[in-house]
């Protein structure tokens, strides 16, 4: 839902609606969007004259088909800087702190479906604030703090039983390879399933693994019973992969893990997610350097920020991908993602093209010695780990 947002700067803290826009100076914008793409350039003078740091509003109407009344609705943000409040039909749906990680809010309870209408319409209002806040990192750094909803926003509809995307905006599936060698790769998988129905449900969980050649390697099935409102972590018993095709920078072999939830009685598929993962092992030695799959490797690469001339940090995905392709073409096998988690497209393409990465949270130069700052840092770090766990 990236298109046709009403945008304006306003310090109001209570939810605003389209009817409240009145005589305000507004723009019609499409996401990704930043309100600092132009005024940030004034920093070339060293004075940052006119650079706006403060509250703004994004508002638009959203329509959904009437059959969504039996589903669970979520609004999903890939990133908004830096503190975000979300309102649906004037009702508070959630708050997120931090400008570089993803977040999601359930909104079904705020959407009204009328029996005589084929669609339901609701108003989504988002308050995004970049006011300097001593309790929110980043406080100070050598890059620009662009404000706005500068990554994609989606509306997600699921069945009542679904993979738990509310666990730090992950997809609910966590893949580990605790032991890998040229002979075999051990695999552990945690799958979080949530039941948003008002009664208990019985489902079947299928876990299917495909090799780099897209041929099926293995399949597993188990039964899961969920009480009303319950989140269950299922742990499918998965055998080791024998003679795995290892992931490396020269041969970035990726396995594909597909998880499906289906109704135990009807067999209807309720939800499905797909993750890729690589089988590899690595080590560091203070004297000898870095080793991947037992072989010494010199790490050659660069540092990368997420902004671009003329559009600030509001990049479409293809520009992120062009950057990664350019790095690979110039001989990089390593990327330092600095100084914050970036668009999902970055790690996806690094996995596919064979680029090792480091990723970090935006705690730079200065900190505030308060419990709130500490907790915000920990929350952001947890989000970063959960969202990127399978890369």
């Amino acid at each position: 839902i990236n298109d046709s947002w009403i945008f304006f700067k306003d310090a109001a803290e209570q939810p605003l609606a389209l009817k409240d826009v009145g005589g305000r100076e507004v723009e019609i914008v499409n996401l990704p969007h930043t309100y600092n793409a132009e005024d940030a350039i004034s920093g070339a003078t060293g004075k940052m004259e006119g650079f706006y740091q403060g509250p703004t509003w994004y508002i638009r109407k959203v329509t959904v088909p009437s059959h969504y009344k039996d589903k669970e609705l979520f609004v999903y943000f890939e990133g908004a800087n830096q503190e975000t409040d979300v309102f649906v039909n004037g009702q508070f749906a959630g708050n997120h702190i931090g400008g570089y990680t993803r977040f999601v809010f359930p909104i079904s309870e705020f959407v009204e479906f009328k029996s005589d209408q084929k669609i339901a319409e609701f108003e989504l209002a988002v308050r995004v604030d970049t006011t300097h806040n001593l309790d929110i990192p980043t406080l100070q750094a050598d890059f620009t703090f662009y404000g706005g909803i500068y990554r994609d926003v989606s509306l997600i509809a699921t069945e009542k039983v679904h993979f738990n995307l509310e666990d730090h905006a992950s997809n609910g599936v966590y893949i580990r390879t605790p032991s890998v060698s040229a002979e075999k790769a051990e695999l552990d998988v945690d799958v979080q399933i949530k039941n948003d129905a008002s009664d208990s449900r019985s489902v079947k969980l299928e876990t299917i693994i495909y090799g780099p050649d897209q041929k099926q390697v293995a399949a597993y099935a188990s039964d899961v019973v969920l009480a009303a409102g319950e989140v269950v972590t299922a742990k499918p018993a998965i055998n080791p992969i024998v003679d795995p095709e290892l992931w490396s920078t020269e041969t970035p072999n990726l396995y594909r893990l597909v998880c499906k939830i289906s109704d135990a009685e009807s067999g209807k598929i309720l939800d499905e997610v797909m993750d890729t993962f690589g089988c590899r092992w690595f080590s560091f030695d203070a004297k000898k350097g870095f080793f991947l799959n037992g072989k010494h490797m010199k790490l050659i690469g660069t540092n990368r920020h997420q902004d671009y001339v003329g559009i600030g940090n509001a990049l479409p995905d293809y520009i992120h991908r062009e950057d990664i392709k350019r790095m690979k073409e110039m001989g990089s096998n390593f990327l330092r993602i600095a100084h914050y988690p970036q668009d999902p497209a970055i790690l996806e393409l690094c996995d596919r093209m064979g680029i090792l990465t480091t990723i970090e949270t935006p705690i730079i130069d200065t900190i505030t010695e308060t419990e709130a700052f500490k907790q915000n840092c920990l929350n952001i770090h947890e989000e970063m780990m959960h969202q990127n766990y399978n890369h």
Side-chain angles (χ1 to χ4, degrees), residues 100 102 151 247 252 254 276-278 304 317 320-321 324 327 334-338 340-360 383-391:
Y100 307 100
R102 292 162 248 169
R151 294 181 190 158
W247 186 97
L254 289 175
T276 58
F277 66 95
R304 193 253 185 191
D317 286 352
H320 292 295
R321 295 189 180 106
I324 301 304
M327 291 173 196
F334 173 79
L335 169 63
R336 180 202 179 203
I337 298 175
Y340 37 77
Q342 296 184 11
D343 192 280
I346 295 297
L347 284 179
E348 289 170 7
L349 203 54
C350 285
D351 284 355
R352 286 169 49 196
M353 297 196 74
I355 297 180
L356 295 155
T357 66
T358 61
I359 181 171
E360 59 201 56
E383 288 174 335
M384 178 185 74
M385 290 170 62
H386 283 72
Q387 293 163 16
N388 302 305
Y389 198 90
N390 299 328
H391 288 291

Side-chain angles (χ1 to χ4, degrees), residues 110-161:
F110 309 120
V111 181
E112 182 182 359
F113 291 89
K114 297 180 180 179
S115 58
D116 60 338
Q117 294 180 342
K118 293 184 178 180
I119 62 170
E121 186 176 74
F122 62 91
E123 200 163 279
L124 189 58
V126 184
R127 186 182 192 270
V128 183
D129 191 356
T130 49
T131 302
H132 187 67
N133 188 327
L134 290 175
D135 288 331
I136 303 176
T138 308
L139 299 178
Q140 177 181 318
D142 57 350
F143 57 89
T144 304
F145 303 159
Y146 296 95
I149 307 178
Y150 70 96
R151 294 181 190 158
D152 299 326
V153 176
S154 302
L155 182 74
I156 297 176
T158 72
E159 301 292 345
K160 293 296 183 181
V161 179

Side-chain angles (χ1 to χ4, degrees), residues 170-186:
S170 71
N171 69 0
V173 176
Y174 300 97
I175 305 168
R176 291 181 297 276
T177 51
S179 177
V180 178
S181 68
E183 289 74 37
K184 69 176 183 177
E186 294 181 4

